[in-house]
Amino acid sequence: MLCSVFNHLLDDNPLPVNEASSSVVVATFSNTTSQNGKGAIGGGKLVTNGEVEKGLLTLVSSDAPGLQVCDPNGRWYLADSGLTPGDLLLLTGKALSHATAGLRPAAVYRGSADNYVGTTCGGRTSLAFRLIPQSNAILDCSPITAAGHVIPHSYVPISVSQFMDDLSAEEDMLCSNTDNAYVARDNLNKEPSLRSVLSDPLSGAFLEDAMFVSCGHSFGGLMLKRVIDMARCTLCNAEIERGSLIPNHVLRTAAAAVKHEDDRRLFHNAALRKRRKEVGDIRVSFDFPHFAADLSIQTA
C-alpha cells in the first residue's frame, strides 16, 4: 500500500498481543436529512468547508455516491460518482502530507446529501479504513530529501503524537460549526504545545540558541535575527536594545532535551527501517533459488 520507506510509521506486523492498532475501520450511515459536509465518512475533523483526514490515508467504500473533494483550485467535485461495487476511493491525510514534505497534499472532503436522495434506504452507507501512523513514530522527510527534493523549513521531524496534538488544537480553533462554538472558544485558551514553545516559528528549529531580549521575551533562530533587525519585539512591540541580549539557559536546555528525544526516535526508526529492508532482501535471496529452479524445470 505504502512504499517501504514508510514502514516505520505503521503498526508492527504481526501486532503484539494486547496491543491495539493505530488504524481504525469506521462504518457510517448518513440520511438525507443530514446537513451537507457533516459525517462524510466518520473520524475526520470538521473544518470550515469540509473534513480533513489527520492520518496517512483513508480508503472509502460506499453504496451510493455522496463524497465531494475540493480540488487545488477550490472547486468541489463528486469524487465517488463513477465507482462500481468493489472500488475504493483513496483520500490522502495530513500525516502523509508532512512525511512527503507536501508532495502529497491532504485531501479536503465533505458529504453531499443531495447526491443520494434517490437511494432505496433513504441515505448512504460507507465503510472507511483510516491508516494512522503509530504514536511513537517520527514524521520526517529524509526519504524525500534522499530522492533529491528540496524540503521547506516548515517540514521538520516531529513525533506523531505531537503532530496529532498540534492538528487537534489547530482544527479546534478553526472550527466554525455553530453547534460546537463553545468548544472552539474554550480551545482558544489552551496552552500552546511544548514543541511550538521550544521551536523557532520561522524555521521550525529548536531554540538551542534562545536569548532574552530587553523586554523580557525570548527568541532564537531566524525570529531572533528578525527581532534584532527590527529593533522591536514581535510579541509586545517594545523597542529592543541590541546590546542587551542574555542567553536563556533554561529554554536552551529544555529545547536540547526535546530535540535529543526526537533525534533518538528518528535514529531508532531509521535503524528499524534498515533492518526491515535487510530482512526483505534476505527473503528475496532465499526465494530466488527456488524460483530459478522451478523456471529451469519448466523450460527443460
Side-chain angles (χ1 to χ4, degrees):
M1 183 181 296
L2 288 178
C3 181
S4 59
V5 296
F6 297 115
N7 281 349
H8 67 286
L9 299 176
L10 307 179
D11 292 324
D12 294 331
N13 186 19
L15 199 66
V17 179
N18 298 326
E19 183 174 317
S21 173
S22 300
S23 302
V24 295
V25 175
V26 182
T28 306
F29 175 76
S30 304
N31 57 41
T32 55
T33 59
S34 298
Q35 294 181 2
N36 286 357
K38 292 185 179 180
I41 58 175
K45 186 69 178 179
L46 187 67
V47 293
T48 305
N49 294 312
E51 295 180 56
V52 181
E53 169 57 44
K54 294 193 296 183
L56 293 167
L57 55 84
T58 298
L59 298 173
V60 186
S61 176
S62 62
D63 61 355
L67 197 63
Q68 294 181 336
V69 173
C70 187
D71 70 14
N73 296 316
R75 294 189 295 262
W76 292 93
Y77 66 95
L78 194 62
D80 53 357
S81 59
L83 299 185
T84 59
D87 288 343
L88 296 173
L89 178 65
L90 188 151
L91 301 170
T92 50
K94 284 198 169 185
L96 182 62
S97 178
H98 189 92
T100 58
L103 294 177
R104 291 292 180 267
V108 179
Y109 58 90
R110 68 185 182 188
S112 178
D114 296 338
N115 294 287
Y116 46 87
V117 171
T119 56
T120 56
C121 61
R124 173 179 177 271
T125 302
S126 65
L127 189 66
F129 171 70
R130 302 177 59 218
L131 185 63
I132 302 174
Q134 54 181 332
S135 60
N136 62 348
I138 297 291
L139 294 173
D140 73 279
C141 304
S142 54
I144 307 302
T145 305
H149 295 280
V150 177
I151 307 301
H153 290 301
S154 57
Y155 292 99
V156 296
I158 182 173
S159 67
V160 170
S161 58
Q162 185 63 63
F163 181 78
M164 294 300 181
D165 289 344
D166 291 348
L167 284 183
S168 295
E170 174 188 336
E171 290 171 343
D172 284 342
M173 285 188 285
L174 292 176
C175 180
S176 62
N177 187 338
T178 55
D179 295 334
N180 296 319
Y182 68 95
V183 176
R185 287 196 300 270
D186 289 344
N187 283 321
L188 287 173
N189 297 320
K190 279 187 176 180
E191 291 294 324
S193 66
L194 177 62
R195 199 186 196 287
S196 66
V197 171
L198 299 176
S199 301
D200 175 19
L202 294 183
S203 66
F206 282 102
L207 297 177
E208 296 180 282
D209 60 344
M211 304 287 286
F212 283 114
V213 294
S214 55
C215 66
H217 288 116
S218 294
F219 300 96
L222 296 180
M223 184 59 78
L224 176 62
K225 183 177 183 301
R226 174 178 292 185
V227 168
I228 295 174
D229 291 342
M230 294 171 54
R232 188 169 295 276
C233 178
T234 57
L235 297 177
C236 66
N237 206 36
E239 292 187 4
I240 298 301
E241 300 174 12
R242 289 188 173 91
S244 62
L245 301 180
I246 301 174
N248 186 336
H249 294 293
V250 173
L251 197 56
R252 291 183 178 190
T253 301
V258 175
K259 181 178 182 294
H260 175 74
E261 180 63 19
D262 272 10
D263 290 344
R264 186 190 66 80
R265 290 179 179 176
L266 190 62
F267 176 79
H268 171 76
N269 288 332
L272 182 61
R273 186 163 62 239
K274 181 180 179 181
R275 285 200 300 271
R276 286 176 173 173
K277 184 179 183 302
E278 291 173 347
V279 170
D281 292 343
I282 293 174
R283 288 176 178 172
V284 171
S285 64
F286 273 113
D287 291 342
F288 182 77
H290 297 292
F291 170 76
D294 292 342
L295 184 62
S296 63
I297 293 174
Q298 291 176 6
T299 53

